[in-house]
Amino acid sequence: MLLLAEQALNGLQYGMMLFLMAAGLTLVFGVMGLINLAHGSLYMIGAFACAAVAAATGSFWLGMAASLAAAAAAGAVVEMAVIRRLYARDHLDQVLATFALILFFSEGTRWVFGSFPLYLTLPSALSGAVTLPGGLQYPVFRLVIIAVGAAVALGLWLLITRTRLGIRIRAGEADREMIGALGVDIARLYTIVFALGAALAGLAGALVGSIQSVQVGMGEPVLILAFVVIVIGGIGSVKGALVGALLVGMTDTLGKALLPGLLATVMDPSSANTIGSALASMMIYILMAVILIARPQGLYGARA
Amino acid sequence: MNLKSVLMGGIAALALAVGAAEAEGVKVGMITTLSGGGAGLGVDTRDGFLLALKQAGDAGAAVELVIEDDQQKPDIAVQIADKMIQSDNVDVLTGIVWSNLAMAVVPAAVAQNRFYLSTNAAPSALAGAGCHPKYFSVSYQNDNLHEAAGAYASEAGIGKIFIMAPNYPAGQDSLAGFKRFFKGEVVNEVYTQVGQTDYAAEIAQIRASGADAVFFFLPGGMGIAFMKQYAESGVGLPLVGPAFSFSQDILPAVGDAALGVKNTAQWSKDLDNAANKAFVEGFQAEYGRLPSLYAAQAYDTANLLLSAMAKADVADADAFAGALNAAEFDSVRGKFRFGPNRHPIQDIYIREVVKEGDVLTNRIIGVAMTDRGDAYADQCQN
């Protein structure tokens, strides 16, 4: 029972991490109509900025701040220098250009930081484990990730429903020519949205880098899952990204945790693990397929 | 003299020079992992090999070395091997760290009449019925260190143990080797993905398993990620493992969480023999860090190659194979000889992670197995 609870928390933590990635991606896709493959690179930039600043200053908190700042700055620069030229082009051109950005950022990072992974040390306040009600011990930092994800979800909801910027974002989603005609500086709005999405990706990278490792190419596997999340949740919907991310995180973690154990009762551990984890990673895509059959626009998607 | 004859003369001179170099030297292709989570292992392999060549002076200069990064990907390793065999025309291949890459490269390379000297990976599939007269493992047979860990765990009185390794040939060899000599109860046997970076699900299983200790084999970046997350998890069961999980490339990143952990290896930097002293001191002087097991194995591989080059011409494959098999070189392990399947027969030690000043490293505390060969030697008919 405790094992199941711990695995559920693991799934929740994984889902929150995916949400941080998917929220930015879905905003950019929904508002700007842009497919941004380089979102994973922004995740990597956040992680490297955190590792570099934390190593230079000795402060994990400064590193976290740096991850937000560096990813947002990189996002803004990329939007103004490259992405801005792509809005009028079709999706294939966008895919090609942002794929080129992946190569550019990966090689650039390798050039600056080398091929060795970097490792972050957690501050003592966030390291170790706490005992939760019910007697379950769980690492503090993974709880922090869950809390940060929940806070970001709440913050984004407030931003989009309660602020002027949020109204503009929703308006931009609905009809970009009309809000341009009404006098909203659409170029600036797009830069802000893109930088916001980049900052969230950078934050996710720094959080994950703190418990795993910081290395070149760390963003691309996560990016694929983030796309699955926004397809499930509905493109452009932050609420959809949250629900989709939690669904994918739970399905993936519980599938990986439970399937090999179930299969091991009928076959040897090595093949049970191979088949179990293959099935578990397929479950996400099966989930996506089922949801797309029932609701082609995704769970909370506005448009078909 | 017209232009044509000058050119012809130049080409003839070049051809002579190339011909002369081929007759004397040996061309070695090193395929190893120099980027990503496994980079530390490949870098130490390369540096250990280069150090031996450098210390050998002129004899070392007769080795022409080509080094390429396999990115820990089997398909890239195969491409590099094809290029090294077909375009670079190497005589000897070496350097692969990972057993899944070795399985992709070695059978094809020896079938094309190249020697393969393994600095690390030694999957069981190449030690028994799949052995080959041109394939030599200088490191060990994959099961060895895990067998020693199993023997040690039994002796230390561990009753129930949780065992874990990545799902690839060396991981399967690891758990098979451990279970061969462990007499207690294995409460759970878990295979992780190669290159996995998040071990939350496995740590939850360890917590729920009711085991007395954990045996794990996670080389390179996998081991660092696991150890860091395990230290955060508050599980706190004692850990046992092969040297790979607590190697010199892993310890600095893991930190004090590794202190006191027992692990098994056929080499340690405090082994008392002249060759090892020259190696450890030379390595520190050259690279400014302590050598790992991988560096030691590559250093031995280079010295084995040099010893064979002194006795036979690589063009005479049978004589060269015989010279390799004699293994007349000063190993950093003290004693070293090949068994019938051209895998080492050697002692395996128990080491403990200790702190020397500020530096985490390993120290030998006992012998786990003496003159250990491997479980597959009698199946080798080639």
Side-chain angles (χ1 to χ4, degrees):
Chain A
M1 200 54 226
L2 278 183
L3 173 64
L4 197 64
E6 184 169 359
Q7 299 290 24
L9 275 177
N10 288 337
L12 187 62
Q13 178 256 312
Y14 188 41
M16 283 302 186
M17 190 277 289
L18 285 177
F19 166 68
L20 290 178
M21 272 297 272
L25 202 59
T26 201
L27 273 181
V28 168
F29 201 119
V31 177
M32 299 154 58
L34 176 93
I35 299 179
N36 179 23
L37 291 187
H39 205 65
S41 298
L42 298 165
Y43 171 90
M44 176 184 76
I45 286 171
F48 271 97
C50 181
V53 171
T57 63
S59 164
F60 178 78
W61 303 106
L62 281 179
M64 275 292 154
S67 75
L68 281 169
V77 168
V78 162
E79 199 276 338
M80 289 189 274
V82 182
I83 308 286
R84 189 164 283 184
R85 291 159 224 288
L86 298 170
Y87 297 132
R89 311 282 280 270
D90 68 32
H91 285 326
L92 186 61
D93 289 359
Q94 298 171 353
V95 165
L96 274 177
T98 52
F99 185 70
L101 284 174
I102 295 183
L103 301 178
F104 174 80
F105 279 120
S106 291
E107 287 313 307
T109 314
R110 205 191 300 279
W111 186 59
V112 176
F113 291 97
S115 300
F116 272 93
L118 305 178
Y119 297 93
L120 282 155
T121 309
L122 295 174
S124 55
L126 299 183
S127 61
V130 286
T131 308
L132 300 176
L136 172 65
Q137 275 202 319
Y138 200 70
V140 178
F141 197 76
R142 289 184 193 268
L143 292 175
V144 169
I145 295 181
I146 295 173
V148 168
V152 167
L154 184 67
L156 275 180
W157 178 73
L158 288 175
L159 176 82
I160 287 171
T161 55
R162 300 290 160 87
T163 65
R164 181 160 287 273
L165 178 63
I167 294 170
R168 287 180 176 169
I169 289 174
R170 279 181 290 149
E173 237 170 300
D175 192 334
R176 69 180 87 176
E177 275 109 22
M178 185 55 88
I179 69 157
L182 289 172
V184 173
D185 184 350
I186 195 112
R188 204 171 121 238
L189 176 69
Y190 280 11
T191 309
I192 291 171
V193 170
F194 199 85
L196 176 67
L200 292 179
L203 177 65
L207 289 172
V208 170
S210 305
I211 47 173
Q212 298 178 8
S213 63
V214 178
Q215 57 184 313
V216 174
M218 64 191 283
E220 277 66 51
V222 186
L223 180 77
I224 295 170
L225 289 174
F227 271 113
V228 172
V229 165
I230 64 171
V231 168
I232 288 178
I235 289 162
S237 162
V238 173
K239 189 176 167 194
L242 179 63
V243 173
L246 293 181
L247 268 177
V248 168
M250 284 291 180
T251 310
D252 191 58
T253 306
L254 292 181
K256 277 186 182 147
L258 300 178
L259 276 178
L262 287 178
L263 290 174
T265 54
V266 288
M267 55 181 82
D268 72 281
S270 174
S271 39
N273 183 277
T274 314
I275 298 170
S277 51
L279 271 179
S281 30
M282 267 192 271
M283 296 231 329
I284 298 171
Y285 301 100
I286 296 170
L287 174 76
M288 179 170 78
V290 169
I291 286 174
L292 284 184
I293 291 168
R295 274 184 74 85
Q297 71 274 40
L299 291 176
Y300 296 93
R303 292 163 293 186
Chain B
M1 210 194 283
N2 62 18
L3 182 64
K4 193 178 171 191
S5 61
V6 171
L7 273 179
M8 291 303 284
I11 290 167
L14 269 177
L16 271 178
V18 171
E22 270 179 3
E24 277 178 17
V26 168
K27 196 158 185 186
V28 177
M30 174 177 279
I31 306 169
T32 197
T33 305
L34 300 173
S35 59
L41 288 61
V43 167
D44 267 16
T45 301
R46 177 193 67 194
D47 290 352
F49 200 92
L50 286 174
L51 178 68
L53 297 187
K54 191 178 173 196
Q55 288 182 346
D58 287 347
V63 174
E64 192 188 336
L65 187 62
V66 197
I67 304 174
E68 296 246 19
D69 175 19
D70 60 32
Q71 302 170 32
Q72 204 180 329
K73 292 177 184 152
D75 50 328
I76 307 268
V78 168
Q79 282 172 23
I80 296 172
D82 286 345
K83 183 181 137 295
M84 283 178 169
I85 291 171
Q86 281 153 27
S87 332
D88 299 334
N89 203 19
V90 299
D91 307 300
V92 176
L93 282 162
T94 186
I96 295 179
V97 175
W98 308 92
S99 287
N100 50 338
L101 277 66
M103 286 306 298
V105 167
V106 172
V110 292
Q112 292 175 77
N113 281 318
R114 313 295 152 146
F115 284 95
Y116 188 90
L117 307 181
S118 182
T119 54
N120 191 57
S124 53
L126 298 178
C131 70
H132 191 280
K134 284 196 149 83
Y135 168 71
F136 293 79
S137 172
V138 191
S139 47
Y140 42 66
Q141 195 281 317
N142 270 355
D143 301 14
N144 287 159
L145 305 197
H146 315 285
E147 292 173 339
Y152 165 75
S154 297
E155 232 166 77
I158 295 170
K160 292 195 278 184
I161 201 156
F162 183 102
I163 63 176
M164 177 166 81
N167 202 3
Y168 80 123
Q172 289 139 20
D173 288 350
S174 160
L175 298 193
F178 182 86
K179 287 190 286 185
R180 193 172 293 134
F181 284 86
F182 182 66
K183 298 189 185 75
E185 182 197 349
V186 175
V187 291
N188 201 350
E189 182 175 344
V190 169
Y191 283 102
T192 62
Q193 296 302 301
V194 176
Q196 187 170 324
T197 50
D198 195 343
Y199 292 90
E202 287 77 13
I203 289 169
Q205 284 174 282
I206 292 173
R207 202 194 301 274
S209 67
D212 304 326
V214 178
F215 166 82
F216 76 101
F217 162 56
L218 292 170
M222 294 183 266
I224 299 176
F226 171 74
M227 281 296 292
K228 285 174 78 81
Q229 291 163 24
Y230 186 76
E232 293 294 319
S233 72
V235 173
L237 292 177
L239 298 170
V240 184
F244 318 110
S245 305
F246 306 97
S247 172
Q248 201 63 51
D249 60 298
I250 286 188
L251 292 177
V254 170
D256 288 350
L259 264 182
V261 171
K262 310 289 191 296
N263 62 93
T264 50
Q266 79 283 30
W267 171 86
S268 183
K269 81 172 189 5
D270 55 339
L271 269 179
D272 192 15
N273 65 65
N276 197 35
K277 248 177 217 142
F279 164 62
V280 175
E281 281 165 16
F283 195 93
Q284 279 181 286
E286 186 78 22
Y287 306 110
R289 62 177 197 273
L290 288 173
S292 69
L293 181 67
Y294 310 101
Q297 290 167 177
Y299 184 85
D300 268 358
T301 306
N303 280 323
L304 169 72
L305 177 72
L306 293 170
S307 77
M309 283 166 64
K311 284 201 269 178
D313 187 347
V314 73
D316 182 354
D318 289 341
F320 199 75
L324 284 169
N325 206 18
E328 282 166 10
F329 70 104
D330 292 327
S331 168
V332 293
R333 291 165 237 182
K335 54 179 187 171
F336 180 100
R337 67 189 163 94
F338 281 118
N341 57 347
R342 295 162 293 271
H343 282 60
I345 294 180
Q346 58 191 347
D347 293 350
I348 300 168
Y349 305 95
I350 303 160
R351 313 191 299 181
E352 182 181 17
V353 179
V354 294
K355 221 169 188 178
E356 287 178 0
D358 278 345
V359 183
L360 285 166
T361 186
N362 283 286
R363 183 184 68 187
I364 290 182
I365 56 168
V367 181
M369 291 176 134
T370 309
D371 287 331
R372 173 69 188 156
D374 60 80
Y376 310 98
D378 52 359
Q379 295 161 32
C380 173
Q381 305 297 333
N382 296 313

